[in-house]
């Protein structure tokens, strides 16, 4: 799987990774429209994450995840109305693994943000897809991006993560590993199910798996009307709304450009943490986040450039064959 395709899969929205779409004719405002949609989706995801952190004292981390997955699954099942018949055993196996991966990614990430600030958590999480990008490409330049990311992580941890809760760091790194796996199975699900049917079914799988955990942690607290309302808001902000915005954007935006925009998520998360949760970053932490963002963007641009060169080399052979 190419890295633009992989990196373009949204983090927490559950959008199946698309093949790189044609940019299409420029609209009245050029590319401002789809770029604005992607940025709006990223803002929605991260501010939804900040709202989830503020909800955790009421419902617990597992309870928030359960509410988010449950509400998002209900909305997507109602909107998509996926067909249940006519799928092979491999199709169902793929969507079940996708759902498990999605649930694990969300669960680990929310356990992380319950212990460390939102900005550093997202920065550590983004190392998962960055590692996938670097390892999938065999270009030497990607070693530079990997080194830049490691430098950012070193700074983020203050030279040893003494300033961050070690368990929170491990949860964030685990969420990043699940994010990388999520990208792979998102692409496979997108190829096997039409439109967003696979996403809706996978979200339902994740909700079924996590609901017992949420009930075990929070019990009757999840039935509180205020908690339910805030949980629904988290689901809409973190799943339903960004999924819709990004799906619209990808109809007109190349996947490589989309992936670069997604690399800005740590910065958006840090802003959301500061505005909603009063989580201020030190100068060193801000520099660390900037290094990881630069590494992520560099890795995506390297892979996009490689894909374009391959396309130009292949074009004469196609014309000759014709």
């Amino acid at each position: 799987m190419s890295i633009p395709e992989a990196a373009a899969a949204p983090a927490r929205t559950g959008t199946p990774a698309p093949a790189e779409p044609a940019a299409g004719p420029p609209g009245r405002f050029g590319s401002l429209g789809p770029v604005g949609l992607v940025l709006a989706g990223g803002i929605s995801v991260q501010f939804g994450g900040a709202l989830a952190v503020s909800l955790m004292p009421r419902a617990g981390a597992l309870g928030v995840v359960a509410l988010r997955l449950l509400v998002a699954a209900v909305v997507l099942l109602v909107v998509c109305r996926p067909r249940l018949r006519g799928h092979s055993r491999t199709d169902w196996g793929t969507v079940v693994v996708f759902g498990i991966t999605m649930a694990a990614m969300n669960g680990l990430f929310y356990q992380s943000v319950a212990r460390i600030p939102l900005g550093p958590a997202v920065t550590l999480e983004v190392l998962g897809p960055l590692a996938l990008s670097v390892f999938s490409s065999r270009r030497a330049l990607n070693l530079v991006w990997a080194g830049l990311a490691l430098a950012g992580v070193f700074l983020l941890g203050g030279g040893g993560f003494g300033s961050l809760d070690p368990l929170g760091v491990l949860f964030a790194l685990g969420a990043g590993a699940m994010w990388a796996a999520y990208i792979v199975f998102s692409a496979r699900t997108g190829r096997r199910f039409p439109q967003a049917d696979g996403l809706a079914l996978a979200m339902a799988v994740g909700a079924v798996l996590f609901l017992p955990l949420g009930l075990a942690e929070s019990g009757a607290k999840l039935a509180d009307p205020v908690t339910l309302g805030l949980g629904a808001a988290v689901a809409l902000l973190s799943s339903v709304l960004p999924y819709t915005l990004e799906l619209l954007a990808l109809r007109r935006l190349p996947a490589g450009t989309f992936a670069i925009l997604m690399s800005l998520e740590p910065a958006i998360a840090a802003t959301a943490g500061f505005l909603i949760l009063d989580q201020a970053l030190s100068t060193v932490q801000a520099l660390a986040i900037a290094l990881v963002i630069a590494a992520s963007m560099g890795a995506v641009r390297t892979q996009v450039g490689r894909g374009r060169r391959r396309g130009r080399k292949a074009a004469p052979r196609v014309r000759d064959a014709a």
Side-chain angles (χ1 to χ4, degrees), residues 111-195:
Q111 288 289 340
S112 173
V113 296
R115 294 169 171 82
I116 62 177
L118 185 62
V122 174
T123 303
L124 290 168
E125 187 193 24
V126 84
L127 294 177
L130 176 59
L132 179 64
S133 175
V134 170
F135 293 143
S136 298
S137 174
R138 298 175 183 176
R139 298 198 63 188
L141 183 57
N142 276 294
L143 295 177
V144 175
W145 306 129
L148 194 64
L150 289 175
V153 172
F154 183 80
L155 285 177
L156 190 63
F161 289 100
S163 60
L164 297 176
D165 183 287
L167 191 57
V169 170
L170 289 176
F171 279 131
L173 293 174
M178 288 298 100
W179 188 353
Y182 163 94
I183 289 171
V184 174
F185 285 99
S186 173
R188 293 181 183 178
T189 301
R191 289 192 293 265
R192 291 182 173 275
F193 290 83
Q195 300 177 357

Side-chain angles (χ1 to χ4, degrees), residues 118-317:
L118 185 62
V122 174
T123 303
L124 290 168
E125 187 193 24
V126 84
L127 294 177
L130 176 59
L132 179 64
S133 175
V134 170
F135 293 143
S136 298
S137 174
R138 298 175 183 176
R139 298 198 63 188
L141 183 57
N142 276 294
L143 295 177
V144 175
W145 306 129
L148 194 64
L150 289 175
V153 172
F154 183 80
L155 285 177
L156 190 63
F161 289 100
S163 60
L164 297 176
D165 183 287
L167 191 57
V169 170
L170 289 176
F171 279 131
L173 293 174
M178 288 298 100
W179 188 353
Y182 163 94
I183 289 171
V184 174
F185 285 99
S186 173
R188 293 181 183 178
T189 301
R191 289 192 293 265
R192 291 182 173 275
F193 290 83
Q195 300 177 357
D197 287 10
L199 166 69
L201 294 171
M203 194 73 75
V205 170
V208 169
L209 290 175
F210 238 96
L211 188 57
L213 298 176
L215 290 173
E217 182 181 65
S218 304
K221 294 179 182 178
L222 297 182
D224 177 74
V226 175
T227 301
L228 279 175
L230 292 174
V234 170
L236 293 174
L237 287 172
S238 297
S239 297
V240 179
L241 181 60
Y243 164 71
T244 304
L245 294 174
E246 289 159 1
L247 188 64
L248 292 173
L250 279 165
R251 293 175 180 173
R252 291 186 289 159
L253 194 68
T257 304
F258 179 79
I260 291 172
L261 292 171
M262 291 296 291
S263 300
L264 296 173
E265 283 212 358
I268 299 174
T271 303
F274 175 74
L275 294 177
I276 296 180
L277 304 172
D278 197 26
Q279 296 176 343
L281 296 176
S282 67
T283 302
V284 173
Q285 287 177 325
L287 176 60
I289 291 175
L291 288 176
V292 174
I293 290 173
S296 182
M297 287 184 172
V300 170
R301 289 183 65 86
T302 298
Q303 188 66 14
V304 170
R306 183 187 184 191
R308 287 175 179 169
R309 284 191 295 273
R310 283 180 175 176
R312 286 195 295 268
K313 290 179 180 178
R317 289 197 293 272

Side-chain angles (χ1 to χ4, degrees), residues 10-200:
R12 287 154 292 281
T13 64
T15 307
E20 183 150 345
R28 181 178 178 184
F29 299 103
S31 62
L32 180 61
V35 168
L37 291 174
V38 174
L39 292 177
I43 291 171
S44 180
V45 166
Q46 300 307 334
F47 277 79
L51 178 60
V53 174
S54 66
L55 179 59
M56 286 178 186
R58 299 179 63 96
L62 298 180
V64 172
V65 177
L67 285 175
R68 172 183 168 175
L69 293 175
L70 179 62
V71 174
V74 170
V75 171
L76 288 172
L77 288 173
V78 169
V79 172
C80 298
R81 290 180 292 179
R83 184 167 54 89
L84 300 179
R85 295 182 178 181
H87 300 297
S88 67
R89 183 176 299 178
T90 304
D91 293 341
W92 283 112
T94 300
V95 83
V96 167
V97 175
F98 182 31
I100 293 172
T101 302
M102 188 187 306
M105 179 180 65
N106 281 276
L108 290 168
F109 178 73
Y110 278 39
Q111 288 289 340
S112 173
V113 296
R115 294 169 171 82
I116 62 177
L118 185 62
V122 174
T123 303
L124 290 168
E125 187 193 24
V126 84
L127 294 177
L130 176 59
L132 179 64
S133 175
V134 170
F135 293 143
S136 298
S137 174
R138 298 175 183 176
R139 298 198 63 188
L141 183 57
N142 276 294
L143 295 177
V144 175
W145 306 129
L148 194 64
L150 289 175
V153 172
F154 183 80
L155 285 177
L156 190 63
F161 289 100
S163 60
L164 297 176
D165 183 287
L167 191 57
V169 170
L170 289 176
F171 279 131
L173 293 174
M178 288 298 100
W179 188 353
Y182 163 94
I183 289 171
V184 174
F185 285 99
S186 173
R188 293 181 183 178
T189 301
R191 289 192 293 265
R192 291 182 173 275
F193 290 83
Q195 300 177 357
D197 287 10
L199 166 69

